[in-house]
């Protein structure tokens, strides 16, 4: 076969999504790729059934159906306290994944530097490669996942074109404070650079923490590109709906990139989601209550078993420390990936190895998610207890 591009040799498939395939192979409980095992709200599935009969089934406007963009702009505008023009400041995308890729391709020339906090959601690694950007990693240091703002300034001073801020942060559950976001944003303004946010988990921020949208902070709007998704907020990861919101000049260019990447997000799903975007505040309060309950239940289960873990401030992920297991003679010299594969086959619970999120050499963490119904979480905890018996 003729030779493929050099680019494809520089990254692997997604380990998160590979773990789902491994989990399926062994019939394990999949706590790797983060998606819920429960249905979206009935109003949305009923609306989708109606649309299946009545349409639309053809392309929407490439950058999003008019009513869908209007609803996105209204919801986001309410959150950040600013009018968002649905015609000039919004692009509907195929999930948060396309939103991020589209933002990167719109902002970066090959060779441009982009700062990424580490640990990071693994897509950003491939996004930089595909857009030709050079990552500069800024450590979020466990266990508190704090960072040194002087490193961010140094990155901008070195010429970084942008910084990616995943807030709340996948995989470590950090919720950036208003002060942290302001400091990052002010540096972006000072150095005439972009902040690209990933706010996919914005409605999963646990008390007493608070989600602050960077685009809404004073003086930052023109430097902030918001990427988000409806997948997690409405339990519709398969519908592939996301969006970009940003200043007009950026959106005008992003519309072109998006058009040639995907043409558009699926029109029947956009149409059905208009209803969801008009849900009252009580919907989001209930979602948060559900996930708070799941978090507390799952973490107390881990505590009962005696597995060491962080306490996520947001998201539905938890990092578990596996060093004690890797110190056992039977696992000596194993990578976290090998341990995760073993765990999936022999314990029956699929995690994601921490090394797929860290730029630094980290081999002692695994990521689990708790977007599962109560009986599955119970079964998962029962299986995880078997792990502890090895010690
Ligand atoms: N964000 C989810 C995770 O980190 C998965 C998203 C995806 O696979 N596209 O597990």
């Amino acid at each position: 076969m003729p030779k493929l591009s050099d680019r494809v040799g520089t990254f692997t498939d997604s380990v998160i999504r590979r773990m789902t395939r491994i989990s399926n192979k062994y019939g394990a409980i999949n706590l790797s790729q983060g998606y819920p095992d429960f249905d979206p709200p009935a109003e949305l599935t009923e609306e989708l059934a109606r649309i299946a009969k009545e349409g639309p089934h053809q392309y929407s406007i490439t950058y999003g159906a008019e009513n869908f963009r209007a609803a996105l702009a209204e919801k986001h505008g309410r959150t950040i306290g600013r009018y968002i023009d649905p015609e000039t400041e919004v692009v509907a995308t195929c999930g948060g994944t396309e939103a991020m890729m589209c933002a990167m391709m719109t902002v970066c020339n090959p060779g441009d530097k982009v700062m990424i906090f580490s640990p990071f959601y693994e897509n950003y690694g491939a996004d930089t490669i595909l857009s030709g950007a050079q990552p500069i990693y800024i450590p979020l240091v466990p266990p508190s996942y704090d960072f040194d703002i002087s490193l961010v300034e140094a990155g901008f001073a070195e010429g970084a074109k942008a910084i990616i801020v995943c807030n709340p942060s996948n995989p470590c559950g950090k919720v950036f404070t208003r002060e942290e976001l302001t400091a990052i944003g002010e540096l972006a303004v000072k150095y005439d650079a972009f902040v690209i946010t990933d706010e996919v988990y914005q409605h999963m921020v646990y008390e007493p923490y608070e989600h602050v949208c960077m685009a809404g902070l004073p003086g930052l709007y023109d430097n902030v590109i918001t990427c988000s998704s409806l997948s997690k907020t409405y339990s519709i990861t398969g519908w592939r709906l996301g969006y970009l919101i940003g200043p007009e000049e950026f959106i005008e260019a992003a519309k072109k990139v998006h058009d040639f990447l995907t043409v558009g997000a699926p029109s029947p799903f956009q149409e059905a989601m208009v209803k969801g975007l008009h849900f009252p505040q009580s919907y989001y309060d209930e979602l948060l209550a559900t996930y708070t309950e799941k978090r507390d239940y799952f973490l107390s289960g881990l505590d009962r078993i005696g597995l060491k873990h962080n306490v996520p401030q947001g998201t539905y992920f938890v990092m578990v420390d596996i060093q004690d297991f890797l110190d056992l003679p039977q696992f000596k010299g194993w990578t976290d990936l090998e341990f995760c594969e073993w765990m999936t086959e022999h314990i029956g619970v699929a995690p994601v190895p921490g090394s797929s999120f860290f730029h630094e050499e980290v081999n002692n963490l695994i990521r689990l998610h708790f977007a599962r119904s109560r009986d599955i979480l119970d079964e998962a905890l029962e299986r995880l207890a078997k792990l502890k018996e090895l010690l």
Side-chain angles (χ1 to χ4, degrees):
M1 197 182 81
K3 214 167 161 290
L4 301 175
S5 77
D6 292 340
R7 183 188 308 124
V8 294
T10 59
F11 60 100
T12 69
D13 61 326
S14 152
V15 177
I16 296 176
R17 296 181 275 281
R18 192 194 307 165
M19 286 309 303
T20 286
R21 297 193 293 275
I22 295 173
S23 181
N24 291 346
K25 178 173 156 195
Y26 293 115
I29 295 177
N30 187 3
L31 303 188
S32 59
Q33 188 181 10
Y35 58 88
D37 65 352
F38 36 89
D39 284 335
E43 292 102 300
L44 296 184
T45 48
E46 281 156 18
E47 183 71 347
L48 188 62
R50 181 186 69 77
I51 289 160
K53 293 203 191 86
E54 296 172 18
H57 292 293
Q58 310 309 325
Y59 304 127
S60 64
I61 290 174
T62 59
Y63 51 92
E66 219 174 303
N67 54 351
F68 182 59
R69 268 183 293 114
L72 284 172
E74 196 206 308
K75 176 175 179 286
H76 196 74
R78 226 182 311 127
T79 309
I80 69 170
R82 181 190 193 279
Y83 172 74
I84 305 285
D85 187 333
E87 192 52 36
T88 58
E89 294 176 297
V90 182
V91 181
T93 59
C94 294
T97 300
E98 191 216 330
M100 181 58 68
M101 191 69 241
C102 184
M104 291 286 286
M105 295 192 77
T106 305
V107 162
C108 296
N109 285 314
D112 277 349
K113 293 171 183 146
V114 172
M115 283 185 273
I116 298 176
F117 287 104
S118 169
F120 56 94
Y121 175 43
E122 67 170 5
N123 278 33
Y124 308 156
D127 291 340
T128 53
I129 292 167
L130 292 171
S131 63
Q134 301 290 328
I136 299 176
Y137 293 98
I138 309 291
L140 291 174
V141 185
S144 61
Y145 294 104
D146 287 332
F147 66 99
D148 180 352
I149 189 74
S150 73
L151 296 178
V152 175
E153 172 132 37
F156 281 130
E158 233 188 271
K161 187 77 181 285
I163 182 166
I164 299 176
V165 179
C166 182
N167 183 34
S169 173
N170 178 3
C172 67
K174 175 186 174 68
V175 173
F176 285 80
T177 65
R178 185 178 296 272
E179 292 69 35
E180 287 172 331
L181 297 173
T182 302
I184 296 167
E186 283 173 353
L187 287 172
V189 172
K190 176 173 165 191
Y191 288 93
D192 200 23
F194 284 107
V195 178
I196 304 175
T197 71
D198 177 347
E199 301 182 49
V200 165
Y201 300 95
Q202 72 184 82
H203 290 287
M204 290 172 205
V205 171
Y206 305 109
E207 272 178 17
Y209 302 96
E210 176 204 11
H211 180 69
V212 176
C213 282
M214 270 187 101
L217 290 176
L220 298 190
Y221 190 78
D222 286 342
N223 293 69
V224 175
I225 295 158
T226 305
C227 297
S228 199
S229 154
L230 307 185
S231 292
K232 277 55 183 199
T233 305
Y234 304 94
S235 309
I236 50 156
T237 60
W239 290 23
R240 311 309 302 129
L241 293 179
Y243 58 91
L244 279 168
I245 289 182
E248 239 179 275
E249 211 178 312
F250 163 80
I251 291 292
E252 199 181 319
K255 280 177 181 171
K256 294 189 287 185
V257 175
H258 159 77
D259 190 357
F260 289 105
L261 276 177
T262 63
V263 177
S267 58
F269 296 109
Q270 292 185 52
E271 188 68 28
M273 265 317 298
V274 171
K275 193 155 211 169
L277 289 163
H278 287 122
F279 281 164
Q281 182 56 37
S282 57
Y283 172 77
Y284 305 98
D285 296 343
E286 276 163 34
L287 182 86
L288 180 60
T290 301
Y291 276 107
T292 303
E293 205 256 346
K294 285 188 189 301
R295 179 190 72 151
D296 295 348
Y297 188 75
F298 192 60
L299 298 195
S300 61
L302 293 179
D303 289 337
R304 250 191 337 272
I305 296 169
L307 291 169
K308 295 176 203 151
H309 62 84
N310 72 326
V311 177
Q313 302 168 346
T315 76
Y316 46 47
F317 301 112
V318 53
M319 304 294 276
V320 175
D321 193 324
I322 54 163
Q323 190 58 53
D324 290 346
F325 300 98
L326 295 179
D327 288 340
L328 294 172
Q330 66 265 44
F331 301 120
K332 261 272 161 336
W334 280 35
T335 64
D336 57 354
L337 176 60
E338 286 166 329
F339 186 81
C340 285
E341 288 178 355
W342 174 88
M343 204 175 132
T344 307
E345 184 178 355
H346 297 280
I347 298 295
V349 175
V352 182
S355 57
S356 47
F357 305 105
F358 280 89
H359 170 64
E360 301 77 19
E361 286 291 316
V362 170
N363 196 47
N364 68 316
L365 296 173
I366 58 173
R367 191 195 76 174
L368 298 173
H369 81 82
F370 46 83
R372 289 286 177 261
S373 46
R374 175 66 78 94
D375 44 335
I376 299 294
L377 289 180
D378 279 336
E379 177 63 28
L381 287 166
E382 213 166 286
R383 294 181 186 191
L384 288 169
K386 280 193 259 144
L387 189 60
K388 192 65 199 229
E389 285 164 18
L390 295 172
L391 293 180

